Amino acid sequence: MKEVIILISPDGELTIEAIGYNGDGCEAATEPYEKGLGKVSKRSFKSEYKLASSRTKSKSATRGGRTLR
């Protein structure tokens, strides 16, 4: 099952995570959320992303000077 999960920490930091997508598919899945939330300030890739059977990746964005991870 494919999912996009957005987690918000108590300090306002957001993490956008794509689950069930391969390679660049996760970027396409999270792009609309990134655009709505603000500029991406940090992007981190899980170890699975670099494998041929990659399934997850997380990204970070900034909105209004706050880091959205």
Side-chain angles (χ1 to χ4, degrees):
M1 176 161 76
K2 294 182 179 183
E3 298 178 276
V4 175
I5 298 173
I6 300 174
L7 301 171
I8 305 170
S9 71
D11 66 355
E13 190 172 313
L14 268 64
T15 301
I16 304 170
E17 188 172 352
I19 299 175
Y21 293 88
N22 294 316
D24 294 335
C26 60
E27 289 186 71
T30 59
E31 183 179 11
Y33 302 101
E34 291 175 6
K35 285 183 179 180
L37 294 170
K39 180 182 172 189
V40 175
S41 64
K42 179 181 173 188
R43 187 166 284 151
S44 59
F45 298 86
K46 294 183 178 180
S47 60
E48 295 91 344
Y49 179 77
K50 297 176 184 176
L51 301 174
S53 62
S54 170
R55 296 204 182 251
T56 60
K57 181 171 103 169
S58 61
K59 301 178 181 188
S60 302
T62 300
R63 180 178 183 197
R66 299 180 83 181
T67 300
L68 307 174
R69 178 174 179 246

